[in-house]
Amino acid sequence: MKTILVLGTNAGQADLIRHMKARGWRVVGCSPVPGEPGQAFCDVVEAVDIADIDALVEVAQRQDADLVYSISSDVAIRSVTALSARLGLRHFHDMTFINLLDDKAALRDFLNTRGLGAVPFRKVASASQGADWDTFPCMVKPIDAQGQRGVVKLDSPDGISTAITEATEMSRSGQAILEGFLDGVEISCNVLICGGETKLQVLSERLVHGPEAFGVPKGHLIPCQNVAAEDQRAALALVDDIIVALGQPDGPLYFQMIVTPDGPRVVEIAPRLDGCHMWRLIKAAEGVDLLAMTMDCLTDAGPVPTVPSAAPGTAGGTAMELMFQQQAPGGAFDPAAFPAPEGALHHEYRYAPGETVRPVNGTLEVVGYYVKARA
């Protein structure tokens, strides 16, 4: 029996853990956090920091790991890449590629210099370095943090020093990025490249909260409901051009974009499956399993089919939604407050009854989610 080391055991990793168990693999989950949802499905749980490569090497060797992988986490995918390279195990990408996508300023410079949807930006390490920034509204973000932690929108120079200070404190490298605000409908594109060929490319609409939880997603739609067909085509073309510029690298990529009046612009690109269980939505809407395709490619389990992209704006199929059930952190989770909706194809909770909701983005945390046909 082959053994996979899964870095992280949260709700996102639980999808991978269950999938690999169904394939007949032995799963060793690695996380220092007790009681995470994925641990119930692991054969073994190792209480190890997933950023500690030396400790992970010891675990992988002791557990005789044949593969290391993770989904939904930028921190974990860095360790997956570094650990796999050190152990000589099969993996996607390399650290140069990971570092490029992990650094928001480096990625923005890469795109701008190639004319791939230019956006004004500046990399800063202190409030003083942003004192003369004059593009407003703008976004202030940690340069290498995941999710919405430390992300602030500013309409004027007021508060920029505080925003930069807070963003740098959230950043692993102590740096932040200022960039022009992108106004428009948010969309995502899930991509799988295998054998140097794009096998799957699916657009979705990303629903977000307003100012009370700025930028925090509340759900996703397939197909896009509020984006013109021509803008969808432009977004897919931009993704194609970026993939070529990146060298057509094998593995999954998750593009977050905004459709502005000047066309689609990239917000970020992650070298992994997303953290929103989008593979379930894609399976419901398109009938293909992105998670299974990814693991087929990674393990060389067999040929990965090429799935034709649906033509934007064409009728056909049922509109599907993936919606999050959310509450503020700090309180006890009560599943009775978040019932499964009628007609849900999939529904699950991320917390046990009475468990305290942990701060992740610090505003509205996902306690459950469901996939269903959109009314």
Side-chain angles (χ1 to χ4, degrees):
M1 180 182 292
K2 291 186 176 182
T3 295
I4 181 173
L5 213 66
V6 175
L7 304 192
T9 56
N10 62 15
Q13 307 304 337
D15 290 352
L16 174 62
I17 291 166
R18 286 180 290 208
H19 179 83
M20 296 308 291
K21 287 292 294 179
R23 282 181 179 244
W25 284 58
R26 175 174 174 266
V27 178
V28 178
C30 297
S31 174
V33 182
E36 288 187 318
Q39 294 178 9
F41 310 105
C42 294
D43 294 287
V44 178
V45 177
E46 294 273 3
V48 58
D49 182 351
I50 64 170
D52 187 338
I53 303 301
D54 290 336
L56 289 171
V57 167
E58 189 277 326
V59 170
Q61 292 175 337
R62 175 162 46 80
Q63 295 291 349
D64 196 22
D66 298 284
L67 189 70
V68 181
Y69 202 53
S70 179
I71 60 179
S72 81
S73 168
D74 292 334
V75 173
I77 209 67
R78 290 187 66 84
S79 294
V80 164
T81 305
L83 179 61
S84 298
R86 186 182 296 190
L87 296 174
L89 300 179
R90 185 178 175 91
H91 59 286
F92 297 130
H93 313 309
D94 57 28
M95 287 309 300
T96 299
F97 185 79
I98 298 294
N99 288 336
L100 171 63
L101 299 194
D102 198 37
D103 184 327
K104 292 179 175 63
L107 177 60
R108 187 62 71 197
D109 183 65
F110 179 91
L111 298 175
N112 282 7
T113 57
R114 290 162 178 79
L116 298 170
V119 177
F121 80 98
R122 180 184 298 177
K123 181 177 180 178
V124 298
S126 66
S128 62
Q129 292 178 347
D132 61 344
W133 174 262
D134 59 2
T135 300
F136 294 95
C138 76
M139 299 298 297
V140 183
K141 308 175 184 179
I143 209 159
D144 52 10
Q146 184 175 345
Q148 300 301 313
R149 294 184 293 271
V151 176
V152 175
K153 178 192 174 189
L154 296 176
D155 293 315
S156 73
D158 295 340
I160 193 168
S161 294
T162 299
I164 291 173
T165 298
E166 292 178 352
T168 55
E169 289 174 352
M170 290 281 187
S171 167
R172 296 191 302 274
S173 63
Q175 297 177 311
I177 182 174
L178 310 175
E179 59 184 12
F181 174 67
L182 302 175
D183 190 19
V185 178
E186 296 198 24
I187 60 175
S188 301
C189 189
N190 279 270
V191 175
L192 177 64
I193 303 165
C194 191
E197 179 184 345
T198 298
K199 298 294 185 176
L200 181 70
Q201 190 181 59
V202 180
L203 278 182
S204 54
E205 185 172 335
R206 187 172 185 262
L207 307 177
V208 296
H209 288 279
E212 75 283 359
F214 185 79
V216 175
K218 57 183 178 181
H220 300 265
L221 310 177
I222 294 179
C224 299
Q225 301 291 295
N226 301 291
V227 182
E230 62 183 288
D231 287 324
Q232 294 183 51
R233 288 191 289 269
L236 290 170
L238 177 60
V239 168
D240 284 339
D241 289 343
I242 292 172
I243 288 172
V244 170
L246 290 172
Q248 203 84 12
D250 277 8
L253 294 174
Y254 180 57
F255 290 74
Q256 283 190 27
M257 297 180 283
I258 294 178
V259 180
T260 76
D262 297 320
R265 296 290 186 269
V266 167
V267 176
E268 61 180 42
I269 308 170
R272 54 172 173 78
L273 294 183
D274 65 279
C276 297
H277 313 276
M278 286 293 292
W279 70 273
R280 289 194 186 276
L281 180 60
I282 293 169
K283 188 174 183 179
E286 305 289 342
V288 293
D289 191 330
L290 174 58
L291 177 55
M293 292 172 67
T294 299
M295 298 315 295
D296 283 345
C297 184
L298 181 58
T299 62
D300 205 18
V304 177
T306 299
V307 180
S309 297
T314 57
T318 302
M320 306 299 296
E321 64 181 14
L322 185 156
M323 300 299 293
F324 299 120
Q325 296 172 312
Q326 297 167 308
Q327 77 173 63
F333 172 63
D334 178 9
F338 303 96
E342 184 177 351
L345 301 176
H346 181 84
H347 174 261
E348 68 178 73
Y349 297 120
R350 288 188 173 184
Y351 288 86
E355 188 178 358
T356 300
V357 177
R358 297 178 296 273
V360 178
N361 60 54
T363 306
L364 284 174
E365 308 301 346
V366 176
V367 295
Y369 76 97
Y370 60 84
V371 176
K372 66 183 289 291
R374 187 164 177 82

